[in-house]
Amino acid sequence: MKLIPAIKTAALAGALSFALSGTALATTLHMFNGGEPASIDPHRVSGDWENRIVGDSFEGLMTEDIGANPVLGQASDYTISDDGLVYTFTIRDDAMWTDGTPVTAGDFEYAFKRLLNPDMAADYAYLQYLIAGAEDYNTGEGSADDVGIKVIDDKTIEFTLANPAPYFLDALTHYTAYPVPQHVVEEFGEEWIDPENIVTNGPYTITEWVPNSHIKAVKNDDYYDAENVSIDDVMYYAMDDISAALQRYRAGEFDILTDFPTDQYQLLQDQYPGEAHVAPFLGLYYYVINHNKEELSDPNVRNALSMAINREVIGPDILGTGELPAYGWVPPGTASYGFDEYKPDWASMDYGARVAEAVSMMEEAGYSADNPLNLQLKYNTNENHQRIAVAIAAMWEPLHVNVELFNSEVAVHYDALQNNDFDGVGRAGWLMDYNDAINMLELLRSDIIYNYGRYANDEFDAALRESATITDPEARAEVLRNAEEIAMSEAAAFPIYYYVSKNVVSPKIEGFEDNAKDIHRTRWLTKSE
């Protein structure tokens, strides 16, 4: 809606008067952020749409720079022992909570042990199993006192790892490593994250949460680097309709879109040159298979379904944004892996021959036109997910498969996946939390809740555990590669494509840099009016 001239003139006059008074106008970033957050508690969140909010308001010992590389955050420095097992951090003297309380080593110890407490049931706790004693405590086989975290004094904290992990600093940028204010959590319980109660330690703090509408965060003037934080307020809008979001961007209502309809990519390139950012990053789009569904317990059936997915056409034709076809589980370019992308033998077959073989495999398993395999394919509401689901359902038709498409909003969808509450196949995606192959492969470990399909293979699990004890990078990578081959040979899940990030960024925004994690903290951005 446009302002009528008289109102517009009055607004401009008011802005001029405000500026002449010596006080700068507040700068607000308007961001389309995807689905409604399930939480903003760092120990309760799991999605990138939640990470964007939580990562602006909280900060760990390490944080991300403009390129999403680990840099010092609440820590002013650190040391690593010669054996790579002991990390000692000094916390900044000027690290403060937004209520004026200093951030201490005790806050970090409390947060890590809260995350790992079995009663907390934090889905993501396993990411910090790098710390000695963490897994035993989290699984009920050890105590909090056995976790390798030691407070030396108020500003010094020491971590002892179970095994050397060169990616530990990267893992400390993850929200599972953020501190939480013990004094506030204990006072308000689960309501500590309500805007009227929340206390944060990052560049921003949350002041408003209107469910299914938006969350508002304002600049934390007590943040140690506040003088270099340019944007005053951030509005994170919750929407599932990415076409509507694009329309609002075109109307000037949004500054950043964190996704866009792929069929509008050419329009964006033509009408908004340079504003659509499409870049490769470390992530995988995949379908999980419910291994508790009897019909899908046969690896030949699962392999037939995987073979019939024509991955080569999804990126260039169905989406139109160039996503790379994925046959393996670990994205190309993953650090310390050292292997080419995994591909099964059938990946090089002519697609028609692949489908013919897949049909034969299904018929051997007893499926035919008179006895089809009935599957439900679940996805979270999004035009791009729907487009892929429709295409793959059509690819499976020649295999005597009837597919029921079922969509739901993102929180409901992932809740169903985590509870293994789906009748067949479900859409999922994973953006790597840190750049190491184990972060992907653990998604198929039998005791990890993010193993949505409940795939279980003792040999695979043993290989992952063995890798944690190997210090030689090449030997470790070989063990992890063998684990990947075990899971993919059994079609433990269906990798579809390796992600490209899809953002749209207004020319008013500076400091947005494409990176392999697709993490863009607001503290690095500036906005011109």
Side-chain angles (χ1 to χ4, degrees), residues 77-80 86-90 152 156-159:
D77 59 65
Y78 63 88
T79 61
I80 306 172
V86 181
Y87 288 67
T88 305
F89 292 86
T90 302
I152 307 299
T156 313
I157 188 167
E158 178 184 280
F159 295 83

Side-chain angles (χ1 to χ4, degrees), residues 109-175:
E109 179 190 36
Y110 170 76
F112 274 95
K113 291 183 178 179
R114 177 179 185 258
L115 170 80
L116 295 167
N117 189 327
D119 294 337
M120 186 69 182
D123 296 339
Y124 248 161
Y126 76 92
L127 285 181
Q128 300 301 339
Y129 284 1
L130 304 172
I131 301 168
E135 182 172 6
D136 284 347
Y137 176 42
N138 187 239
T139 56
E141 297 178 3
S143 72
D145 292 338
D146 297 327
V147 177
I149 301 174
K150 181 180 180 181
V151 172
I152 307 299
D153 56 45
D154 278 352
K155 291 294 183 179
T156 313
I157 188 167
E158 178 184 280
F159 295 83
T160 300
L161 305 189
N163 298 283
Y167 50 92
F168 183 57
L169 293 176
D170 203 354
L172 289 180
T173 68
H174 193 262
Y175 42 80

Side-chain angles (χ1 to χ4, degrees), residues 295 301 359 361-375 396-402:
E295 295 91 331
V301 170
V359 170
M361 293 167 65
M362 292 293 288
E363 290 176 348
E364 287 180 16
Y367 295 104
S368 65
D370 296 328
N371 182 39
L373 171 61
N374 296 312
L375 288 180
W396 284 343
E397 281 184 12
L399 278 60
H400 315 302
V401 179
N402 292 334

Side-chain angles (χ1 to χ4, degrees), residues 9 14 56 77 98 131 144 169 179 191 223 240 287 327 389 399 401 426 440 470 520:
T9 301
D56 274 351
D77 59 65
T98 48
I131 301 168
L169 293 176
E191 296 177 354
Y223 181 63
D240 287 322
Y287 279 0
Y327 296 91
L399 278 60
V401 179
M440 287 300 308
I470 301 172
H520 313 274

Side-chain angles (χ1 to χ4, degrees), residues 141-441:
E141 297 178 3
S143 72
D145 292 338
D146 297 327
V147 177
I149 301 174
K150 181 180 180 181
V151 172
I152 307 299
D153 56 45
D154 278 352
K155 291 294 183 179
T156 313
I157 188 167
E158 178 184 280
F159 295 83
T160 300
L161 305 189
N163 298 283
Y167 50 92
F168 183 57
L169 293 176
D170 203 354
L172 289 180
T173 68
H174 193 262
Y175 42 80
T176 52
Y178 293 169
V180 295
Q182 181 176 359
H183 60 293
V184 179
V185 176
E186 291 181 346
E187 180 179 358
F188 295 104
E190 293 295 324
E191 296 177 354
W192 81 273
I193 58 172
D194 293 352
E196 62 269 24
N197 301 329
I198 196 167
V199 170
T200 66
N201 72 321
Y204 294 88
T205 194
I206 293 161
T207 59
E208 185 175 286
W209 186 354
V210 180
N212 297 304
S213 175
H214 66 271
I215 286 178
K216 179 180 180 180
V218 301
K219 179 180 173 179
N220 172 15
D221 289 330
D222 292 326
Y223 181 63
Y224 63 85
D225 195 37
E227 63 180 316
N228 293 313
V229 176
S230 172
I231 290 173
D232 298 294
D233 308 314
V234 191
M235 299 289 289
Y236 309 90
Y237 295 91
M239 294 177 63
D240 287 322
D241 189 337
I242 54 177
S243 288
L246 178 58
Q247 291 304 315
R248 292 182 64 176
Y249 176 86
R250 297 180 70 187
E253 297 178 37
F254 290 157
D255 301 306
I256 293 177
L257 303 181
T258 57
D259 196 3
F260 61 83
T262 55
D263 61 355
Q264 299 297 302
Y265 184 42
Q266 190 61 52
L267 177 146
L268 286 165
Q269 289 179 301
D270 292 343
Q271 298 186 16
Y272 303 89
E275 296 178 36
H277 291 239
V278 175
F281 74 116
L282 296 174
L284 178 70
Y285 187 106
Y286 62 100
Y287 279 0
V288 291
I289 307 138
N290 192 337
H291 289 257
N292 291 322
K293 183 178 175 67
E294 183 179 354
E295 295 91 331
L296 295 175
S297 63
D298 183 349
N300 288 325
V301 170
R302 299 196 301 267
N303 270 304
L305 293 171
S306 185
M307 290 172 66
I309 299 173
N310 190 352
R311 295 160 173 83
E312 306 294 332
V313 304
I314 291 175
D317 299 332
I318 295 171
L319 294 177
T321 40
E323 287 79 356
L324 296 174
Y327 296 91
W329 200 247
V330 179
T334 299
S336 304
Y337 198 47
F339 289 99
D340 293 333
E341 175 199 348
Y342 171 84
K343 287 188 177 182
D345 292 339
W346 51 260
S348 59
M349 293 173 58
D350 174 77
Y351 180 66
R354 270 167 47 190
V355 172
E357 184 171 334
V359 170
S360 176
M361 293 167 65
M362 292 293 288
E363 290 176 348
E364 287 180 16
Y367 295 104
S368 65
D370 296 328
N371 182 39
L373 171 61
N374 296 312
L375 288 180
Q376 184 185 80
L377 199 169
K378 291 176 70 77
Y379 61 94
N380 53 294
T381 305
N382 176 289
E383 293 171 38
N384 297 334
H385 302 332
Q386 181 183 29
R387 194 173 291 121
I388 293 169
V390 169
I392 290 178
M395 295 172 190
W396 284 343
E397 281 184 12
L399 278 60
H400 315 302
V401 179
N402 292 334
V403 178
E404 174 198 8
L405 299 181
F406 184 89
N407 70 290
S408 55
E409 63 99 7
V410 65
V412 174
H413 174 74
Y414 275 103
D415 184 65
L417 292 189
Q418 287 193 21
N419 289 295
N420 194 238
D421 182 20
F422 60 103
D423 187 29
V425 179
R427 176 266 157 189
W430 193 260
L431 314 180
M432 292 179 67
D433 303 297
Y434 46 83
N435 191 354
D436 191 273
I438 193 69
N439 186 234
M440 287 300 308
L441 293 168

